[in-house]
Amino acid sequence: MEPDQKQLVQLLPLLPVLAELGRTEHVTETAELLGVPQSTVSRGLARASAVVGTELLVRDGRGVRLTPAARTLLPYIEQALTAFQAGLDLVRDESEVMRGRISVSFQHTFGEAVLPLLISAFRTRHPGAAFILSQGARNACLDELASGESDLALTAPVAPPGRNLSSAPLYREPLRLVVHHSHPLAAKASARLADIRADPFVALGPGYGMRSLTDALFREAGYRPRIAFESQDSHTVRGLVSAGLGVSILPPGGDGPGRTVSPETGNLGWVEVPLDSALAFREVGLSWRRRKAGSEPVPVRLFRDMVVAEGPGLLAGLVRQRSL
């Protein structure tokens, strides 16, 4: 072993003693803070001085005083201890993540891309993270969060903060009118709610986030739609529209089967048309229960912090692509 390495090996166990002495400049107080006998501190100081090759502290009345050499070394000692503590915290957090479970309730529309993207980003940092996923209507997701069945809820509209609930918005996306490819509005650049007043409407059932949003849109338009079907799934809603059984309002879903049909398609196909309304959007966000300090499981805290801090950026490209 090289001489410099031998010095490091001898000094490493003494770093906490030297750091505390640098702060207190008092042997007895240092011993009390570290929970060791005063003689241990004195011997450690003597060994450190011998290894470095110069005195690090000198007596000054009833206390001690740092020598210039010690003042030079002290910032490096504190930096080394801080770096080691950061690494230790990271290892402990990772151990907690591997042992824990993160329970997330989410609406169906976020299961195809949004939530998988967020989980994938988290798993690149914490490969051992385990998730329990529950999907359903917005009200059901928030009920599971309130009851403690889930740690987090991904919903739209985002739940407003309350006494026992915190939330953070992640992104906003437009709502579109969805019509059969042969509908008169399919070729329009935009449409108004008044344009579909006579059309049968395919809605999501009560308790779903989209139902509350479409209800608000129709209230603004001043009429109630003629609901032909209620579904529990946006894919089914699009399917019913594709068959020409009504129109609907949904967030962007990408390209439909197309306007060019063949006998094999059964004339299925849908088109999304921008809606001319200031309320034609939905805000997606994450919600969580407020807990006593220190009671939140480490995996939940780490995932929540990542989603809140980085989620808008992680999802920006996806939102732009879907909103084109």
Side-chain angles (χ1 to χ4, degrees):
M1 185 180 292
E2 297 294 327
D4 287 346
Q5 290 180 313
K6 288 183 178 179
Q7 280 189 328
L8 285 175
V9 170
Q10 292 173 319
L11 281 173
L12 283 175
L14 305 175
L15 294 186
V17 174
L18 294 175
E20 201 60 56
L21 271 170
R23 284 188 285 270
T24 66
E25 297 196 13
H26 197 284
V27 173
T28 302
E29 186 178 348
T30 295
E32 291 175 352
L33 289 170
L34 294 176
V36 297
Q38 183 175 331
S39 58
T40 300
V41 175
S42 299
R43 286 196 300 269
L45 176 60
R47 286 200 304 273
S49 297
V51 172
V52 174
T54 185
E55 291 295 329
L56 298 177
L57 285 93
V58 294
R59 296 285 179 183
D60 186 7
R62 300 181 64 182
V64 292
R65 176 170 46 84
L66 296 176
T67 65
R71 293 190 183 280
T72 300
L73 276 177
L74 191 59
Y76 295 95
I77 292 172
E78 292 178 341
Q79 183 178 356
L81 291 173
T82 299
F84 179 73
Q85 185 62 55
L88 186 61
D89 291 342
L90 185 62
V91 169
R92 286 172 174 167
D93 283 350
E94 186 58 45
S95 177
E96 288 291 330
V97 169
M98 292 184 67
R99 289 199 300 268
R101 294 272 195 278
I102 305 166
S103 177
V104 183
S105 296
F106 63 99
Q107 292 172 221
H108 296 279
T109 51
F110 305 131
E112 188 172 354
V114 174
L115 185 58
L117 193 155
L118 295 173
I119 292 176
S120 177
F122 189 70
R123 290 283 294 271
T124 60
R125 307 170 196 185
H126 306 284
F131 286 81
I132 300 173
L133 305 179
S134 174
Q135 60 183 351
R138 177 180 183 271
N139 286 4
C141 292
L142 295 177
D143 286 345
E144 288 184 358
L145 179 64
S147 68
E149 294 178 62
S150 65
D151 300 306
L152 304 161
L154 184 64
T155 65
V158 58
R163 181 178 179 183
N164 299 312
L165 186 73
S166 295
S167 60
L170 299 178
Y171 65 93
R172 177 182 287 195
E173 63 183 353
L175 300 181
R176 300 272 174 76
L177 177 65
V178 186
V179 299
H180 188 260
H181 67 88
S182 66
H183 193 283
L185 293 173
K188 298 290 186 180
S190 65
R192 298 171 301 137
L193 269 295
D195 296 333
I196 59 169
R197 187 168 191 141
D199 287 89
F201 190 75
V202 184
L204 284 162
Y208 285 80
M210 276 305 306
R211 180 58 176 268
S212 66
L213 293 172
T214 54
D215 285 351
L217 280 166
F218 286 116
R219 280 197 301 272
E220 182 197 38
Y223 74 93
R224 291 184 180 181
R226 181 164 57 90
I227 295 178
F229 298 94
E230 285 187 341
S231 176
Q232 298 179 349
D233 180 87
S234 62
H235 295 291
T236 302
V237 171
R238 290 184 191 276
L240 293 168
V241 172
S242 294
L245 298 173
V247 301
S248 190
I249 296 173
L250 292 170
D255 295 329
R259 301 184 188 186
T260 302
V261 296
S262 66
E264 288 79 13
T265 68
N267 202 35
L268 295 175
W270 49 264
V271 174
E272 292 181 351
V273 182
L275 269 174
D276 184 10
S277 171
L279 297 182
F281 71 90
R282 70 171 183 172
E283 191 168 53
V284 180
L286 190 74
S287 301
W288 60 93
R289 297 188 313 282
R290 291 180 178 170
R291 310 191 197 207
K292 293 181 179 179
S295 66
E296 185 176 39
V298 170
V300 175
R301 174 177 57 80
L302 292 176
F303 181 65
R304 185 201 71 218
D305 288 349
M306 186 211 74
V307 172
V308 171
E310 303 175 36
L314 290 169
L315 298 171
L318 174 66
V319 174
R320 280 196 301 268
Q321 182 182 19
R322 293 182 60 185
S323 300
L324 291 177

